[in-house]
Amino acid sequence: MQQVVVGILIRDGKVLVCQRRRGSCYQLHWEFPGGKLEIGEPFHQTLERELREELGVTGVRLEKSYTMTTSYSGNSKFNVTFCFVRSFEGTPMNKAFEAIRWVTPSELRGLDMLEGNKPFIDSLLHEVDREQNRF
C-alpha cells in the first residue's frame, strides 16, 4: 500500500486547495497539497519536501491529525496522513498544479475534490471552527 501525506494550510480562516493539471491522473480534481513517501522517508520530511517543490514554502511546523485508507479505480490503495501545517515561511506559489486557491471550508463541499480527500472535510470544518474560536 502506498503511503501519502497531505498538508492542510490554513490562513485567515481559508484552506489552500490545489487543482490537478489537465492531462494528469484525476485531472482537474481539487486536492490538498502533498505526495507519496519515498522509501525510508518520515512523513514530516515528505510533506516538507512536497510543499517546497509544489508551492515554494519552507520552515513548516506540522501537526499530524488523521490517517485513513482509501482506494481508487484499478485497486490502488493509499494510506493517507493529513497534517495541519501550523506555520510556514513564504507565500504559496503554484509550481505544480493547474491552479491553487484559498477557499473557505464550506466551499470545499462545492469543489470536485479528489475522492481520497473528501472524508477529511468534516474533520477540517471542525478544526477551522476551533481555530477561529481561539481568538
Side-chain angles (χ1 to χ4, degrees), residues 80-94:
V80 183
T81 299
F82 295 85
C83 295
F84 286 99
V85 179
R86 295 297 180 194
S87 64
F88 56 89
E89 295 172 9
T91 300
M93 299 176 299
N94 182 4

Side-chain angles (χ1 to χ4, degrees), residues 57-116:
V57 298
T58 60
V60 297
R61 185 172 64 89
L62 309 175
E63 179 181 310
K64 185 176 176 183
S65 176
Y66 180 78
T67 301
M68 59 166 274
T69 300
T70 190
S71 298
Y72 288 93
S73 59
N75 295 324
S76 299
K77 289 192 177 196
F78 296 90
N79 191 38
V80 183
T81 299
F82 295 85
C83 295
F84 286 99
V85 179
R86 295 297 180 194
S87 64
F88 56 89
E89 295 172 9
T91 300
M93 299 176 299
N94 182 4
K95 297 174 94 178
F97 301 99
E98 189 74 20
I100 63 172
R101 210 163 96 182
W102 292 97
V103 299
T104 62
S106 59
E107 289 176 296
L108 289 170
R109 294 194 190 284
L111 295 176
D112 191 9
M113 293 293 292
L114 191 64
E115 202 62 38

Side-chain angles (χ1 to χ4, degrees), residues 6-128:
V6 298
I8 310 301
L9 284 73
I10 301 172
R11 181 180 72 189
D12 300 326
K14 293 187 175 183
V15 180
L16 185 70
V17 289
C18 305
Q19 188 178 41
R20 288 177 164 249
R21 287 195 187 275
R22 193 176 311 276
S24 68
C25 187
Y26 308 111
Q27 68 177 346
L28 303 180
H29 280 75
W30 292 90
E31 64 183 346
F32 302 113
K36 298 174 185 166
L37 276 73
E38 294 179 358
I39 295 173
E41 185 178 41
F43 77 91
H44 67 278
Q45 286 180 356
T46 298
L47 190 53
E48 289 170 1
R49 175 179 49 79
E50 291 288 345
L51 292 177
R52 185 177 56 255
E53 291 172 359
E54 295 176 351
L55 301 170
V57 298
T58 60
V60 297
R61 185 172 64 89
L62 309 175
E63 179 181 310
K64 185 176 176 183
S65 176
Y66 180 78
T67 301
M68 59 166 274
T69 300
T70 190
S71 298
Y72 288 93
S73 59
N75 295 324
S76 299
K77 289 192 177 196
F78 296 90
N79 191 38
V80 183
T81 299
F82 295 85
C83 295
F84 286 99
V85 179
R86 295 297 180 194
S87 64
F88 56 89
E89 295 172 9
T91 300
M93 299 176 299
N94 182 4
K95 297 174 94 178
F97 301 99
E98 189 74 20
I100 63 172
R101 210 163 96 182
W102 292 97
V103 299
T104 62
S106 59
E107 289 176 296
L108 289 170
R109 294 194 190 284
L111 295 176
D112 191 9
M113 293 293 292
L114 191 64
E115 202 62 38
N117 288 186
K118 287 180 182 179
F120 185 70
I121 292 174
D122 286 335
S123 296
L124 178 59
L125 292 170
H126 174 74
E127 179 66 20
V128 171

